[in-house]
């Protein structure tokens, strides 16, 4: 009986336009907030997800900028290397060791003659993108394994070979070419045989195993102390703005193509922050409108409610009824917003899948947690508003 009376009173006192305005504001605010959270989840998934990890983009070769101030002084000091290793956005630093002796390479085939002065570099194996059983060397080895950049082969096939009317070469053909490497030490020339065992997109240099480089530098090197001018870093996010800022501040440079996403990352972060801030402001306004809606609804029939309290209706009964009257609509709005975000996420995952970018088809758990937190805030606002007004009416009645 009491519920029927309250339902009739509250229904008559409720303003439909105020409720629609509050519901619309809350819906837009939820879509903005949950959309911003899911956008950040998607961005992290694209950057750090296993299916989206780009092993090439996560390794950067770094050296000092060569200008009038650093000309002839591009060596990285021990302190600079230690500072690099201590940065939170760098997971590993590999030193590139250059050869400290003069060498040249020539063909041993009359069908493919060539000769070139060369230099070798080496780097710890964990920084190399070629895994090959032939990538090992000791003093009993029959040849020196080499890894050359894919870029070198492209330059030859599409530049040098075309201009000199020479045949183009495939990777397999290059791997089968026997190469004679001549190491000059004073007036003596020591020859080795070498073979290309792989092609790299990561390091633009002719790489040999670290074991050969250490042995050869010790045996044929100039004797000057080893100094590092270039390093390879492993990072989880090559487009991290903090990494770009660090390189710029320390006059270091790398392949700009791999860090170009830093600008896009800043744009995405800005859009996410603006969307989130706008959503929070709209949520605050929506909460205010909902609070006013509850207050006005109760105030419009306060005399009847006070009368019910006077004839014996308990405040706890009024509180439970009013919570059931107002809070379920909040649950429906939050659920509807979550469904809309889920549908958009499903569509976005399918759209990006066609472009070889993998995203989960469902919303991430941070988005669900954000929705539950907002629902908790709405419950607290509803509860405090209703308790406050029932308390006021109860005092008036007493």
């Amino acid at each position: 009986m009491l519920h029927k009376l309250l339902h009739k009173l509250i229904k008559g006192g409720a303003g439909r336009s105020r409720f629609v305005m509050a519901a619309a504001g809350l819906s837009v605010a939820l879509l903005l907030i949950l959309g911003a959270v899911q956008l950040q989840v998607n961005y992290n998934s694209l950057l750090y997800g296993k299916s989206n990890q780009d092993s090439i983009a996560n390794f950067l070769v770094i050296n000092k900028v060569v200008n009038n101030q650093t000309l002839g002084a591009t060596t990285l000091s021990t302190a600079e290397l230690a500072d690099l290793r201590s940065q939170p956005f760098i997971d590993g630093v590999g030193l590139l060791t250059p050869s400290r002796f003069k060498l040249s390479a020539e063909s041993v085939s009359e069908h493919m003659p060539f000769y070139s002065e060369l230099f070798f570099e080496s780097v710890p194996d964990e920084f190399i993108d070629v895994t090959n059983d032939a990538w090992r060397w000791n003093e009993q080895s029959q040849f020196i394994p080499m890894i050359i950049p894919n870029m070198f082969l492209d330059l030859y096939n599409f530049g040098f070979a075309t201009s000199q009317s020479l045949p183009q070469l495939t990777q397999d053909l290059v791997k089968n070419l026997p190469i004679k490497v001549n190491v000059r030490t004073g007036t003596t020339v020591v020859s080795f045989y070498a073979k290309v065992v792989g092609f790299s997109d990561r390091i633009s240099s002719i790489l040999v195993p670290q074991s050969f480089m250490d042995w050869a530098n010790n045996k044929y090197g100039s004797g000057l102390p080893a100094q590092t001018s270039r390093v390879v870093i492993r990072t989880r996010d090559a487009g991290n703005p903090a990494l770009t800022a660090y390189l710029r501040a320390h006059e270091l440079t790398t392949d700009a193509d791999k860090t170009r996403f830093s600008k896009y990352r800043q744009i995405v972060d800005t859009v996410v922050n603006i969307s989130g801030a706008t959503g929070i402001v709209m949520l605050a306004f929506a909460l205010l409108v909902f609070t006013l809606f509850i207050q006005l609804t109760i105030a419009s029939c306060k005399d009847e409610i006070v009368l019910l309290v006077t004839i014996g209706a308990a405040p706890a009964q009024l509180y439970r009824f009013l919570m059931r009257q107002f809070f379920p609509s909040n649950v429906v709005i939050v659920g509807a917003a979550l469904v809309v975000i889920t549908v958009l996420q499903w569509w976005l995952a399918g759209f990006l899948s066609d472009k070889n970018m993998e995203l989960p088809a469902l919303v991430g758990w941070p988005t669900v947690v954000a929705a539950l937190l907002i629902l908790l805030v709405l419950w607290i606002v509803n509860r405090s508003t209703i308790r406050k007004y029932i308390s006021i009416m109860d005092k008036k009645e007493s």
Side-chain angles (χ1 to χ4, degrees), residues 127-190:
F127 292 90
I128 297 175
D129 54 341
V130 176
T131 56
N132 196 315
D133 291 338
W135 184 249
R136 63 169 66 95
W137 183 91
N138 56 45
E139 294 187 39
Q140 286 72 46
S141 298
Q142 296 180 341
F143 63 89
I144 305 168
M146 298 191 304
I147 295 174
I148 66 174
N150 270 313
M151 180 182 64
F152 279 19
L153 189 57
D154 291 340
L155 287 174
Y156 171 81
N157 281 334
F158 302 108
F160 189 75
T162 304
S163 64
Q164 303 295 318
S165 301
L166 293 172
Q168 292 184 323
L169 302 176
T170 65
Q171 288 191 356
D172 289 337
L173 184 58
V174 173
K175 288 180 179 178
N176 288 321
L177 278 178
I179 300 171
K180 185 179 178 182
V181 172
N182 301 311
V183 176
R184 293 197 296 274
T185 166
T187 57
T188 306
V189 177
V190 182

Side-chain angles (χ1 to χ4, degrees), residues 24 38 41 59-60 69 78 98 202 219 261 276 323 339:
Q38 186 57 40
V41 170
F59 290 84
L60 303 175
Q69 286 72 40
T78 304
R202 184 176 296 168
K219 190 174 182 65
F261 289 107
M323 282 296 288
V339 169

Side-chain angles (χ1 to χ4, degrees), residues 52-233:
N52 295 300
Q53 281 284 354
D54 185 344
S55 60
I56 296 172
N58 290 340
F59 290 84
L60 303 175
V61 178
I62 289 176
N63 55 265
K64 283 190 174 180
V65 176
V66 179
N67 53 33
N68 292 336
Q69 286 72 40
T70 61
L71 197 62
T74 55
T75 302
L76 293 166
S77 67
T78 304
E80 288 172 324
L81 292 173
D83 192 51
L84 264 177
R85 291 189 177 96
S86 68
Q87 299 306 313
F89 42 78
I90 294 178
D91 294 335
V93 178
L95 306 185
L96 274 163
T97 307
S99 54
R100 306 189 186 286
F101 45 85
K102 294 183 178 179
L103 63 98
S104 61
E106 60 183 290
S107 172
V108 296
S109 171
E110 295 179 355
H111 301 290
M112 189 65 65
F114 69 85
Y115 174 88
S116 178
E117 299 288 330
L118 286 183
F119 71 96
F120 286 156
E121 282 188 303
S122 65
V123 69
D125 288 354
E126 59 265 31
F127 292 90
I128 297 175
D129 54 341
V130 176
T131 56
N132 196 315
D133 291 338
W135 184 249
R136 63 169 66 95
W137 183 91
N138 56 45
E139 294 187 39
Q140 286 72 46
S141 298
Q142 296 180 341
F143 63 89
I144 305 168
M146 298 191 304
I147 295 174
I148 66 174
N150 270 313
M151 180 182 64
F152 279 19
L153 189 57
D154 291 340
L155 287 174
Y156 171 81
N157 281 334
F158 302 108
F160 189 75
T162 304
S163 64
Q164 303 295 318
S165 301
L166 293 172
Q168 292 184 323
L169 302 176
T170 65
Q171 288 191 356
D172 289 337
L173 184 58
V174 173
K175 288 180 179 178
N176 288 321
L177 278 178
I179 300 171
K180 185 179 178 182
V181 172
N182 301 311
V183 176
R184 293 197 296 274
T185 166
T187 57
T188 306
V189 177
V190 182
S191 297
F192 299 88
Y193 284 100
K195 284 180 63 176
V196 175
V197 299
F199 295 83
S200 173
D201 287 312
R202 184 176 296 168
I203 301 175
S204 301
S205 186
I206 300 174
L207 298 175
V208 294
Q210 188 73 48
S211 55
F212 172 78
M213 184 63 76
D214 294 339
W215 174 83
N217 272 342
N218 184 54
K219 190 174 182 65
Y220 305 115
S222 59
L224 295 174
Q227 294 179 317
T228 301
S229 298
R230 299 205 303 165
V231 297
V232 184
I233 65 165

Side-chain angles (χ1 to χ4, degrees), residues 26 282-292 374 377-378 381-382:
L26 181 60
M282 292 201 66
L283 177 64
F285 276 106
L287 290 175
L288 178 63
V289 174
F290 252 104
T291 303
L292 291 174
I374 292 173
V377 171
L378 289 169
V381 170
N382 278 261

Side-chain angles (χ1 to χ4, degrees), residues 285-340:
F285 276 106
L287 290 175
L288 178 63
V289 174
F290 252 104
T291 303
L292 291 174
F293 170 71
I294 294 172
Q295 292 174 355
L296 289 172
T297 301
I298 297 175
S300 63
C301 53
K302 64 179 180 182
D303 293 337
E304 291 83 354
I305 293 177
V306 170
L307 179 60
L308 290 173
V309 173
T310 303
I311 62 178
Q317 288 178 297
L318 287 172
Y319 165 76
R320 287 195 295 272
F321 173 81
L322 291 172
M323 282 296 288
R324 284 198 295 269
Q325 188 71 18
F326 295 113
F327 186 63
S329 60
N330 297 160
V331 177
V332 171
I333 292 172
V334 173
L338 201 55
V339 169
V340 171

